[in-house]
Amino acid sequence: PAAGEARQRVATHVAGAFVVLALAAHAVPAIAYTRAFERENPWFTTWSTEIYPVADTVRAQVDGVDTVATADWGVGQIFALMDEDGRARFADLWPRVVAGERDLGRAYFAGRRVLVVRHTVRREMIPGANAGLRSVLRTVPRARVTSVFRGRDFEVWLVDG
């Protein structure tokens, strides 16, 4: 009986530890995501007809790039306007860009041509998205950035890594 009780206590502790770790694994990103939306102003979405010339720009450039990436939440709407080839090159990187993940520069930009679609600084959805993108690109010393489209709401960068 004592051995069975001991095993039951161990199993209970292991199960409890698993539950705590699982909650932490989901709570930490959820809290970070929620905090990204905190601002003094009410939340708004950026949508404008400017999305059509952005999509035209991406379509004109897509054959010469390895990836078309997003750098802010809500930018991925342009991919509804793309053909299959454009969508096949799509990488929704905004969560990693916002977090400023340092390995993202090596993983997606070094040695590659990437078209980055982003909101302009005044229109960014996730505060700090553009700062995160610049931080990521600083980890790729050879990266050259050329603006191929700039509007009121969106900008498209060609990054030669």
Side-chain angles (χ1 to χ4, degrees):
E5 290 174 9
R7 271 186 258 157
Q8 186 177 13
R9 274 196 305 273
V10 168
T12 301
H13 284 61
V14 168
F18 176 78
V19 168
V20 168
L21 290 173
L23 287 173
H26 291 284
V28 169
I31 290 168
Y33 187 78
T34 301
R35 284 186 180 149
F37 283 99
E38 291 175 353
R39 21 170 117 177
E40 292 177 19
N41 301 328
W43 191 79
F44 66 95
T45 59
T46 297
W47 191 93
S48 77
T49 56
E50 196 173 272
I51 199 66
Y52 299 110
V54 169
D56 291 341
T57 300
V58 171
R59 278 193 296 269
Q61 300 275 332
V62 77
D63 288 336
V65 299
D66 299 301
T67 305
V68 179
T70 62
D72 193 9
W73 185 87
V75 175
Q77 61 182 308
I78 71 149
F79 295 99
L81 302 172
M82 304 304 301
D83 61 15
E84 279 195 46
D85 187 41
R87 285 190 293 273
R89 295 170 196 250
F90 170 63
D92 202 13
L93 300 181
W94 75 264
R96 296 179 68 190
V97 166
V98 169
E101 288 186 17
R102 299 188 60 80
D103 68 328
L104 188 61
R106 283 188 311 279
Y108 279 92
F109 294 98
R112 303 177 80 200
R113 287 175 57 89
V114 180
L115 214 54
V116 180
V117 184
R118 66 186 195 94
H119 287 118
T120 56
V121 174
R122 292 179 54 208
R123 298 291 190 196
E124 67 184 5
M125 296 298 297
I126 304 291
N130 288 302
L133 176 60
R134 285 184 174 84
S135 174
V136 166
L137 293 177
R138 277 194 296 272
T139 68
V140 185
R142 296 163 111 172
R144 287 189 337 250
V145 176
T146 305
S147 179
V148 296
F149 177 89
R150 177 155 178 84
R152 185 176 54 97
D153 300 316
F154 297 95
E155 188 163 11
V156 180
W157 284 356
L158 175 62
V159 179
D160 278 306

